Amino acid sequence: MKKTCPSRRGFLQQSLTTAGVLSAGLSVPSLSVSRAANVSGSDVIKIALIGTGGRGLGSVIDRFAVGDNVKLVAVADVAESIARKAVAQLQKNDNVKSKVDVPPERIFGGFDSYKNAVAEADVIHIASPPAFHPVHYLYAVEQGKHVFIEKPFGVDAEGYRRSLKANKIAEEKGLTVCAGFQRRHEQKYLDWISKIQDGFVGDVLETRVYWNTAAAKVRGVRNEGESEISFQVRDWYFFNWLSGDHLVEQHCHNIDVGNWIHGKGDPSAHPVIARGLGGRQFRKIPNVPYNECGNLFDHHYVEYEYADGTVMHSQSRQIPRCWNLVSEKVLGSAGRGQIGWLEPKGAERWHLPKYKNDNGYVQEHVHQTEAIRSGTKLHDGWFAATSTMIGIMGVLATYSGKEIKWDDAVAKGKTFFPYDKELTFDTPSPVMPDADGNYEHTVAVPGLFEPFDK
Ligand SMILES: NC(=O)c1ccc[n+]([C@@H]2O[C@H](COP(=O)([O-])OP(=O)(O)OC[C@H]3O[C@@H](n4cnc5c(N)ncnc54)[C@H](O)[C@@H]3O)[C@@H](O)[C@H]2O)c1
């Protein structure tokens, strides 16, 4: 599906006049932003991709949908073979191959490969595993590049703090930051939330957010002689030091929507305390699918309380044959709703209209490309970092079984990722299996898990 980028005027009008956009918290363009990465109206925008897996390739194809004058010029992946295959796949695709200009010398492999890719482009797509996002993000903005960065913005408090630093640099340099929280770029969410924030169901008392699905599939089978870290980075989703657990990795989308509602347009608004329950029941049963490795919980529940006493209830479960829902609900003093509809007390249910061209995966690139071309502001980094940190705070609560205050979580939340080490394929992994190759002993136990760094 080919989409054209709206005219600058069209985007500004859409951004500034869509009812409630300001209160809904979308990054709003301003007209006087200096551009650090030099791209103007008709220039070809050069893209580099870091992390050439499923979403990385998807993000490039979605970027291409904004129209012409966009080219992929470099790719980097920890595994060079994956990067080569990704480029070959794009070059075989008749719909996009004219926009792929990646000769072999601009295909980079290794843990440091991101630096080479960043040097080649104006806009950096970051779709590596979550733990690397703050590192890659910070480097890209230090080099003066615009970024599209997949969610979440890290897996621990240190990652959050680094993302805030990167946010500030981007702000100071006038760089655009687009985050893979695609709901923020979908008109249906913008309209639903602006109606809530206009008081259609009264004052918000409570939100309920869900990501309950069957278990995610284990991706990696250990190769003969493969180092531990190589295996885990391939199977990153199932190790908390790389993914942050599924509460952070996936459920952050719904948490972001809940917090968007409670925050009333403030991208730094957050709950002040989290209380949670969680564990691992299905994943530890031997010889059933999906439980072969890793150290994630398979269910979390968190009650997030805001300073005004309102609450966001969050459920994230990955167990087959259970009740499933991926959605967001709201309860107000004068009504209730779920994404798609709102029902004021005593009145008829109001439904969102059907939207055309409201694919958030594409719209995020439409909005960023237009902001870059017109030199206007788009900075998703603030709400994206906040929502990531809310997920991290929730994991600290479910892992430990303790009440977790926001300020403590931010200041001293447990560090999972080894930021102080130069990673190579021979570096010992922060999570090591027992003699039988199991990781069960590394799974958090509520009551015993220590949520804070000393
Ligand atoms: N917005 C969404 O709806 C959505 C959907 C899916 C995935 N995602 C996000 O996209 C990111 C990637 O997910 P995916 O599904 O594409 O995973 P994937 O495993 O398919 O791809 C990740 C790629 O990153 C590479 N990689 C690992 N470590 C690296 C490093 N240090 N430097 C460079 N490359 C590295 C891997 O080799 C792999 O090719 C994740 O953050 C995920 O949360 C977002």
Side-chain angles (χ1 to χ4, degrees):
M1 180 180 38
K2 183 170 160 121
K3 298 242 170 54
T4 50
C5 200
S7 68
R8 170 171 179 261
R9 192 153 163 254
F11 176 60
L12 291 179
Q13 276 176 348
Q14 176 194 316
S15 298
L16 295 172
T17 60
T18 299
V21 153
L22 285 168
S23 66
L26 180 71
S27 312
V28 173
S30 82
L31 290 172
S32 57
V33 178
S34 66
R35 280 192 301 271
N38 257 336
V39 188
S40 63
S42 57
D43 291 350
V44 171
I45 296 181
K46 290 189 266 175
I47 310 286
L49 170 63
I50 301 170
T52 59
R55 186 79 275 275
L57 280 185
S59 74
V60 168
I61 291 169
D62 292 332
R63 173 78 67 180
F64 288 161
V66 304
D68 296 331
N69 285 348
V70 180
K71 275 206 188 318
L72 180 71
V73 298
V75 298
D77 197 285
V78 72
E80 196 177 324
S81 57
I82 295 179
R84 286 190 189 288
K85 273 188 208 143
V87 172
Q89 199 177 321
L90 290 171
Q91 284 167 338
K92 270 192 229 138
N93 181 333
D94 286 340
N95 293 327
V96 301
K97 65 183 181 193
S98 63
K99 294 176 183 171
V100 181
D101 176 19
V102 189
E105 61 273 21
R106 290 204 294 265
I107 300 177
F108 304 104
F111 280 100
D112 263 355
S113 59
Y114 67 96
K115 293 183 180 167
N116 296 323
V118 166
E120 301 288 343
D122 310 306
V123 183
I124 314 303
H125 283 213
I126 299 171
S128 46
F132 298 104
H133 292 177
V135 177
H136 295 167
Y137 177 27
L138 192 50
Y139 183 79
V141 293
E142 279 171 351
Q143 302 306 307
K145 306 304 170 105
H146 300 280
V147 291
F148 166 74
I149 169 169
E150 262 306 341
K151 42 51 62 173
F153 273 39
V155 298
D156 52 23
E158 176 60 24
Y160 168 72
R161 294 189 296 261
R162 285 175 189 233
S163 290
L164 292 189
K165 193 172 165 197
N167 281 347
K168 196 158 172 283
I169 293 172
E171 190 91 51
E172 286 164 0
K173 292 189 177 179
L175 299 167
T176 63
V177 178
C178 185
F181 284 93
Q182 64 273 10
R183 286 162 176 76
R184 292 276 184 163
H185 293 270
E186 289 175 20
Q187 203 57 46
K188 75 172 182 187
Y189 275 94
L190 288 162
D191 287 351
W192 187 65
I193 289 181
S194 88
K195 219 160 164 69
I196 293 167
Q197 291 178 342
D198 285 349
F200 195 61
V201 289
D203 294 332
V204 171
L205 305 174
E206 164 184 303
T207 55
R208 283 174 283 158
V209 295
Y210 307 86
W211 196 299
N212 290 344
T213 56
K217 284 193 182 140
V218 171
R219 299 167 183 205
V221 175
R222 192 186 297 269
N223 295 326
E224 186 78 22
E226 185 176 18
S227 72
E228 186 59 36
I229 201 155
S230 167
F231 167 64
Q232 291 189 17
V233 167
R234 268 196 312 114
D235 212 28
W236 60 267
Y237 187 92
F238 296 90
F239 292 91
N240 57 11
W241 71 277
L242 286 160
S243 71
D245 211 308
H246 61 98
L247 192 166
V248 174
E249 199 279 340
Q250 236 164 1
H251 186 40
C252 63
H253 280 299
N254 321 97
I255 285 175
D256 181 54
V257 171
N259 195 55
W260 185 2
I261 294 171
H262 286 276
K264 300 185 181 86
D266 174 0
S268 304
H270 56 76
V272 291
I273 197 156
R275 306 177 185 94
L277 310 166
R280 172 170 163 112
Q281 290 179 303
F282 186 81
R283 282 204 162 111
K284 71 181 179 199
I285 304 170
N287 303 321
V288 294
Y290 313 137
N291 75 338
E292 291 94 337
C293 71
N295 64 357
L296 307 191
F297 275 13
D298 53 25
H299 61 283
H300 304 257
Y301 164 77
V302 187
E303 172 193 298
Y304 289 104
E305 191 172 316
Y306 288 79
D308 62 3
T310 61
V311 174
M312 171 166 65
H313 297 278
S314 121
Q315 294 186 27
S316 47
R317 179 175 56 204
Q318 290 198 340
I319 303 181
R321 296 189 289 279
C322 295
W323 169 76
N324 291 335
L325 183 67
V326 178
S327 191
E328 302 89 16
K329 298 183 182 184
V330 63
L331 178 68
S333 57
R336 65 192 181 121
Q338 179 169 353
I339 176 63
W341 56 269
L342 290 168
E343 191 176 273
K345 277 181 192 161
E348 276 192 21
R349 189 174 280 195
W350 167 86
H351 290 273
L352 281 168
K354 296 253 180 286
Y355 296 96
K356 280 191 188 151
N357 300 336
D358 198 30
N359 176 351
Y361 289 107
V362 173
Q363 288 307 108
E364 57 199 9
H365 297 292
V366 170
H367 293 162
Q368 186 181 29
T369 306
E370 177 55 21
I372 292 169
R373 288 211 184 282
S374 58
T376 51
K377 179 176 176 179
L378 185 137
H379 197 327
D380 291 349
W382 298 109
F383 74 71
T386 304
S387 296
T388 299
M389 188 61 217
I390 295 171
I392 291 165
M393 175 196 195
V395 165
L396 296 177
T398 61
Y399 276 15
S400 69
K402 295 182 166 58
E403 282 193 331
I404 302 292
K405 293 190 179 124
W406 172 266
D407 290 346
D408 290 339
V410 168
K412 56 182 181 175
K414 185 177 169 61
T415 304
F416 290 107
F417 184 77
Y419 295 93
D420 52 349
K421 288 207 174 85
E422 286 287 319
L423 294 186
T424 70
F425 286 113
D426 299 321
T427 315
S429 173
V431 166
M432 293 300 281
D434 65 15
D436 297 324
N438 294 321
Y439 300 90
E440 211 56 43
H441 65 291
T442 71
V443 176
V445 178
L448 299 180
F449 176 85
E450 176 48 61
F452 302 123
D453 288 338
K454 297 277 179 282

